[in-house]
Amino acid sequence: MNIEAYFKITYGLYVVSSINGKKLNGFISNTVFQVTSEPAQIAIVCSKDNYTSSIILASNVFAISALRKETRADIIGTFGFRSGKEFDKFGSYSYKIGKTGTPILLDDVIAWFECEVVQMLDMGTHLLFIGKLIDSDLIDATADPLTYAWYRDVKKGKAPKNAPTYIDPEKLKQQAASATDKYYCTACGHIYDPAIGDPDSGIAAGTKFQDIPDNWVCPVCGAQKSDFAKID
Amino acid sequence: MNIEAYFKITYGLYVVSSINGKKLNGFISNTVFQVTSEPAQIAIVCSKDNYTSSIILASNVFAISALRKETRADIIGTFGFRSGKEFDKFGSYSYKIGKTGTPILLDDVIAWFECEVVQMLDMGTHLLFIGKLIDSDLIDATADPLTYAWYRDVKKGKAPKNAPTYIDPEKLKQQAASATDKYYCTACGHIYDPAIGDPDSGIAAGTKFQDIPDNWVCPVCGAQKSDFAKID
């Protein structure tokens, strides 16, 4: 068994959203797949611990917004690493209300789908919802979608703990023999690798973690430098 | 509703295989996704018309081989566009028999997974199988996986009719107003676009279909030039 084989499964990254009463919520998902063509049905997977799961269970509708490759880090941070129980994730973003009443994120979105739940499968830690397609639109035909491989390999982003693809860093460490001086964000799991630096924030490749200015923040979720811990 | 929105959902391409008695079979799938991490479970989707579906239903095991970006066209043609009812798809390829007894394709494969079916969902035209991961390996850590976007946009490949993502060309034609002088392969659906040509076979961009040599064959499935029909 080699758990790094997982890295060769290809995924996009999406915001899956729903509504219950006046409460809008959404989360970053990589598990969005068309499962039939006639009728058009799309499968999504949600952790039972995910607040949006309870909202979809109550409303029976959801929307999927396909993110563009250049999606801003704050969208990943807000929808991927914060809980909507405490605040309104849609508060500072543009969205529209679809035919089913569900909110559809539009910022950094290149296509969207709106579905009604027709089947559900309990898989233990996660639920799989099959949605019948109610409406869809293509917003930007030429833009490339954000893929999980790009987010992981280029942006050095990590899966949230609730993602089906989350891998316990301890397991990877057990498997990888090499010691490193990398640091990880205790808020979102983002890894700072000195070999790569954080060029988007002006931190050149080769910069040791201790040499990063103290006002530097996690490029994924905005946590402080002091929220990072060394990977032993 | 805009069906071109589908093109912004990201997929990889895989060979999903199984065995029943002495009969090995497999097909090209784009719907492979990890659905839980603890325990590791992977979902696949198969058309009921697909011969492999009946084999998985009988054996309750399957393997997934993640294809490399540069996968040879004959592998796509053999596993994606021919039926294993009539011949042995594995005949000319290297594979191994996994712990569950299922064949695992190894040619042009960068990682593989072997699963035991633990749940199944009937979605009408297709079945969704949830498999518990039994074994996996990473064969080539540095190679990029073949993605459906690359196959479609760069290789101009099409989904087989049994794929969950198959779009009836008539529907796309109804949606797209522009007339073209493109030709499609009646065997596999591959589209020849003069604007792109077929550089891999020495056909330069700008070459009209009628100017292609008669010994040219479909770059995806190997069908003859005479098997192509004009898209009206």
Side-chain angles (χ1 to χ4, degrees):
Chain A
M1 187 86 84
N2 184 335
I3 56 177
E4 289 193 45
Y6 289 145
F7 295 150
K8 299 304 180 187
I9 303 183
T10 299
Y11 303 94
L13 285 172
Y14 313 86
V15 168
V16 170
S17 51
S18 190
I19 190 166
N20 186 20
K22 289 186 173 173
K23 182 64 194 177
L24 320 179
N25 204 41
F27 70 103
I28 300 279
S29 172
N30 65 320
T31 32
V32 168
F33 286 81
Q34 189 183 357
V35 289
T36 61
S37 176
E38 292 288 342
Q41 296 183 113
I42 297 179
I44 60 166
V45 175
C46 304
S47 167
K48 289 181 184 175
D49 290 339
N50 203 314
Y51 183 40
T52 307
S53 288
S54 63
I55 295 182
I56 296 175
L57 282 169
S59 67
N60 244 25
V61 295
F62 62 85
I64 299 155
S65 294
L67 296 170
R68 74 171 68 248
K69 191 173 176 181
E70 301 78 11
T71 292
R72 307 189 313 260
D74 60 279
I75 291 186
I76 307 281
T78 300
F79 286 93
F81 294 99
R82 293 190 64 178
S83 172
K85 280 181 194 163
E86 295 129 36
F87 85 116
D88 176 13
K89 291 189 180 188
F90 280 89
S92 53
Y93 298 110
S94 31
Y95 64 93
K96 69 170 203 165
I97 297 295
K99 290 180 182 170
T100 66
T102 195
I104 301 165
L105 181 72
L106 297 175
D107 276 347
D108 279 339
V109 166
I110 58 177
W112 57 260
F113 307 86
E114 194 185 352
C115 298
E116 241 172 50
V117 176
V118 289
Q119 284 196 82
M120 197 192 73
L121 197 61
D122 187 333
M123 303 178 301
T125 54
H126 289 68
L127 299 173
L128 182 143
F129 294 103
I130 306 288
K132 184 184 156 195
L133 188 66
I134 301 296
D135 201 5
S136 66
D137 201 11
L138 177 69
I139 296 176
D140 188 338
T142 58
D144 286 329
L146 178 59
T147 64
Y148 184 37
W150 195 80
Y151 170 67
R152 189 185 60 229
D153 299 341
V154 181
K155 301 296 280 183
K156 300 293 156 194
K158 282 210 62 182
K161 282 206 171 177
N162 284 347
T165 47
Y166 175 76
I167 296 179
D168 184 343
E170 287 301 317
K171 283 199 184 176
L172 270 185
K173 270 198 278 173
Q174 283 162 17
Q175 187 164 294
S178 65
T180 67
D181 50 354
K182 295 174 186 166
Y183 282 69
Y184 71 97
C185 174
T186 55
C188 77
H190 170 73
I191 293 174
Y192 175 80
D193 181 348
I196 290 139
D198 178 12
D200 289 351
S201 308
I203 309 297
T207 306
K208 289 181 192 166
F209 185 79
Q210 52 265 45
D211 295 338
I212 299 175
D214 284 343
N215 63 353
W216 175 82
V217 295
C218 173
V220 172
C221 74
Q224 304 299 306
K225 185 185 171 192
S226 55
D227 292 326
F228 277 66
K230 189 164 186 287
I231 301 180
D232 294 320
Chain B
M1 186 87 83
N2 185 333
I3 56 176
E4 289 193 48
Y6 289 145
F7 295 150
K8 300 303 181 190
I9 302 182
T10 299
Y11 302 95
L13 286 173
Y14 314 86
V15 168
V16 170
S17 51
S18 190
I19 189 167
N20 187 18
K22 288 186 174 174
K23 182 63 193 176
L24 319 179
N25 204 42
F27 70 103
I28 301 279
S29 172
N30 64 323
T31 32
V32 167
F33 47 113
Q34 190 184 356
V35 289
T36 60
S37 175
E38 294 287 343
Q41 296 182 113
I42 297 179
I44 59 166
V45 175
C46 304
S47 167
K48 289 180 183 175
D49 290 341
N50 202 315
Y51 182 41
T52 307
S53 287
S54 63
I55 295 183
I56 296 175
L57 283 170
S59 67
N60 244 25
V61 295
F62 60 86
I64 299 155
S65 294
L67 295 169
R68 73 172 68 245
K69 191 172 177 182
E70 302 77 12
T71 291
R72 308 189 313 260
D74 60 279
I75 290 185
I76 307 283
T78 300
F79 285 94
F81 294 99
R82 294 189 65 178
S83 172
K85 280 181 194 162
E86 294 128 38
F87 86 117
D88 176 13
K89 291 189 181 189
F90 280 89
S92 54
Y93 297 112
S94 28
Y95 64 93
K96 69 169 202 166
I97 297 296
K99 289 181 183 170
T100 66
T102 195
I104 302 164
L105 182 71
L106 297 176
D107 276 347
D108 278 339
V109 165
I110 58 177
W112 58 259
F113 308 86
E114 193 185 354
C115 298
E116 240 172 51
V117 176
V118 289
Q119 285 197 81
M120 197 192 72
L121 197 62
D122 186 334
M123 303 178 303
T125 54
H126 289 68
L127 299 173
L128 182 143
F129 294 103
I130 306 288
K132 183 183 155 197
L133 188 65
I134 300 297
D135 201 5
S136 67
D137 202 12
L138 177 68
I139 296 176
D140 188 340
T142 59
D144 287 329
L146 178 59
T147 65
Y148 184 36
W150 194 80
Y151 170 68
R152 188 185 62 230
D153 299 340
V154 180
K155 299 297 280 182
K156 299 293 154 193
K158 282 210 60 183
K161 281 205 172 178
N162 283 348
T165 46
Y166 175 76
I167 296 178
D168 184 344
E170 287 301 318
K171 284 199 181 174
L172 269 185
K173 271 198 279 174
Q174 284 162 18
Q175 184 163 298
S178 65
T180 67
D181 49 356
K182 294 173 189 167
Y183 282 69
Y184 71 98
C185 173
T186 55
C188 77
H190 170 74
I191 293 174
Y192 176 80
D193 181 350
I196 291 138
D198 178 12
D200 289 351
S201 308
I203 309 297
T207 306
K208 289 181 191 167
F209 184 79
Q210 51 267 43
D211 295 338
I212 298 175
D214 285 342
N215 62 353
W216 175 81
V217 295
C218 172
V220 172
C221 73
Q224 304 297 307
K225 185 185 173 191
S226 54
D227 292 326
F228 277 67
K230 191 165 186 285
I231 301 178
D232 294 321

